[in-house]
Amino acid sequence: MAEHTYRVKGMHCASCAGIIEKSLKKVDGVGDVQVNYGTETARVTFDEVKTDHQHLSQKVEHLGYSLVAPKEQSVSHAGSHAGMSAADMGMSESEHAAHLGLNQTKEEKLAELADMKWKVISAIPLTVFSAFVLGWETLAQFNAAPAVPYLWEEFFHHLLPIVATYMLFVVGKPYLLGFYRFLRYGHANMDTLIGLGTSAAFLYSFAVTAFEESLRPYVDVSATYYDVTIIVIAFIALGKYLEAQSKLKTGDAIEKLLNLQAKMALVVRDGKEVEIPVDQVVHGELIIVKPAGKIPVDGVLTEGESFVDESMITGEPMPVKKEAGDSVVAGTMNTSGAFTFKATKVGSETMLAHIVKMVEEAQGSRAPIQALADKISGVFVPIVLVIAFVALATWLIIGSQYLGFPQALSFGLVSFVGVLVIACPCALGLATPTAIIVGVGKGAKEGILVKDAATLEKLHKVRVIIMDKTGTITRGKPELVSIKNLSEKSDTDIVAILASLENKSEHPIAHAVVSYAKEKNIALLPVDKFEIIKGKGLGGVVGGVAYRVGSEKLARELGAEFGSLEKDTSEGKTPVILAANGRALAVVMVADQVKPEAVQAVKDLHALGISVVMVTGDDKNTAQFIAKQVGIDEVVAEVLPEDKMNKIKELQASGTIVAMAGDGVNDAPALAQADVGIAMATGTDVAIESAGITLLRGDISKLVKAVRLSKITMRGIKQNLFWAFIYNIVGIPLASGILFPVFGWLLSPVFAGFAMAGSSVSVVGNSLRLKSKKL
């Protein structure tokens, strides 16, 4: 079984997704089908021996849809270095086109929007005219305006049918086609409802106009519904246009990511600098990046140094220093220096391509909360058709007994059209996907990569987050944190001597001392007779004095006094003692420092109702001290990697939803076991598929943002679903005339059309509002 994702042409509503799914699932060899109305894509798993793309597309073409394969979505590009094609680089044609900024899908969407815009613009003056006539006649009935003069009335009487004909057969063509396909194939969608409702209003009005005298004894010939046809189609066309425009905006995160890709690369070939399209770059090629230039592919620096702005990929604002041996990723921006690097990943292998693919897949995935809306959308249209015909029959059978047949028929037709027009599966269908698209896109901009919608939904329910100490809560490398000077020398002199001696060692503690000296611009001194004292420390002569540097054990052997260090060592600090001539000159403490943002992040997680458990292999004293500093709720110390998984299982057994934040490599079993696995990644060499959520250049504060993103997105989805359900639950009975016997209320199809158009636009608008929310 192979899985393919196709773009779907011709989708106009949520019911369309259900129709396409049902049709494709009937095809022999098809396993699973997921059609997403929000992204207008179909993910199909099928046996390539039994069926193919053409056959699948044919199965839905007669219903007005088509499946566009990736290679059809882009134009092909001729000529590449050494005959390299997109396929040779492991890229599909659409990826190839996307990397060159030639994504055809956007162009087609814009063309479709332009056509919709033209129809809406042509409909506006006709709708204003029709609304003016309707308003005048209505006000005149209540003596709020003078009666319409006979000549004007006759003029309107003959002009409105012409306007309605244009609106129904030109602007309303998609709805007529939906009605036609329903009659021919029995598949109904939202277009069917609009087509049937407006056609019924038009045909009734046309019959009354054409056969006015013949029908006068049986029906109220003064009531025609051309204005209903005109205004309803106009409102719905306007709603669809605004919805399409908004949907285009919801997916702009991917477009922005694609725009990060450099179009050209400056490479070294045969000793010369040559500028070539980025798709022609091959593995191992040397690429020159000049100041303010974009990095075209992933690679490793071979010469030069610079600061690279990686904010567009990781969300981190500060440029990162790069020198020989460091990695760079496509889409990031060089700042001041120039450098040369060797291409290691090109085309679809690059970090940027992975991110784009992951964002696309996450935006197209379904959240479990969507299941109910999908089920309702699947049966929605047939149920609405039944309600509309029942409402019409009820008016004709029961209404005729109280109101007379002409009046009952008029009210029955108003209810029939009103029910068909007000029913909106689109608001239901758009409620979840649009919020997911915006939420996942917003996350990508912040360097929070979400694998799928289900993960985003689960994260908002998390009550416990388990995290490692090293690298997550602490910096992950030893640092010099204090100096206890026991001599008459200055602290600077002490550090200079210590760093000069430690500079000859490869020990991590030695690096901490040397780094501190470099930070403070303390110059190193020449060292003679350097020696390693195995397991204890080191020695050497500086300025003619023999020094020893090492542990408490070494200092004691030398007979040096330095006082009690128990308090410091219980806090996880490691003492480094400088001694000379049997006397301790200084004690410096080295420790893995707590990240400054960790304290605030844990406070923020508590504010979100989440407990934090720290799991570490360190000893209990150190772990407890760190936990107290940061405000951690529970500590599990001295554990092996598999014990982390057991702790998660223990919490899950009590019904708690657990997230695990780790580095994605040695924490793999725990990440897999957790309800939500969060990889705290460096952003360059990470396998971003390994966890449900990946935090690029991940620090703990981004973890808080990820939880907030989840909560904001889910709140948006719930608001959308609430309004979509309420709207239909209230609107359909109101339009059917259920309140007429009690209050005398009957909803005009004109208002039904306005409400229906407004519901979809409001749902998409509410989703777009998530963009402005601060994480």
Side-chain angles (χ1 to χ4, degrees), residues 119-120 122-138 160-169 171-172 175 194 197-199 201-202 205 224-240 417-418 421-422 748-758:
K119 284 179 179 172
V120 168
S122 72
I124 286 170
L126 304 177
T127 310
V128 170
F129 165 71
S130 182
F132 167 73
V133 174
L134 176 66
W136 191 353
E137 288 177 344
T138 306
L160 280 176
I162 298 166
V163 173
T165 303
Y166 169 79
M167 289 297 288
L168 183 63
F169 291 95
V171 181
Y175 314 124
I194 307 301
T198 52
S199 299
F202 179 82
S205 305
T224 58
Y225 299 100
Y226 291 121
D227 46 15
V228 168
T229 303
I230 296 162
I231 298 172
V232 164
I233 288 175
F235 274 144
I236 287 162
L238 176 63
K240 282 278 154 200
V417 176
V421 167
I422 202 167
S748 163
V750 167
F751 292 109
F754 176 74
M756 183 270 179

Side-chain angles (χ1 to χ4, degrees), residues 708-727:
R708 281 200 191 119
L709 175 72
S710 169
K711 288 187 182 288
I712 288 167
T713 306
M714 292 313 298
R715 198 179 305 132
I717 289 172
K718 285 171 183 173
Q719 287 166 353
N720 286 351
L721 286 171
F722 172 78
W723 287 114
F725 276 116
I726 286 292
Y727 164 82

Side-chain angles (χ1 to χ4, degrees), residues 187-202:
H187 287 291
N189 61 10
M190 193 207 79
D191 291 353
T192 309
L193 300 181
I194 307 301
L196 178 56
T198 52
S199 299
F202 179 82

Side-chain angles (χ1 to χ4, degrees), residues 42 210 344 489 582:
T344 56
K489 292 180 185 290

Side-chain angles (χ1 to χ4, degrees), residues 173-220:
K173 188 183 173 186
Y175 314 124
L176 281 181
L177 286 172
F179 182 32
Y180 161 74
R181 290 190 188 107
F182 168 62
L183 293 175
R184 184 162 178 195
Y185 303 109
H187 287 291
N189 61 10
M190 193 207 79
D191 291 353
T192 309
L193 300 181
I194 307 301
L196 178 56
T198 52
S199 299
F202 179 82
L203 292 170
Y204 173 83
S205 305
F206 187 77
V208 167
T209 307
F211 308 105
E212 190 172 341
E213 294 309 316
S214 307
L215 294 171
R216 193 179 293 276
Y218 310 106
V219 296
D220 179 7

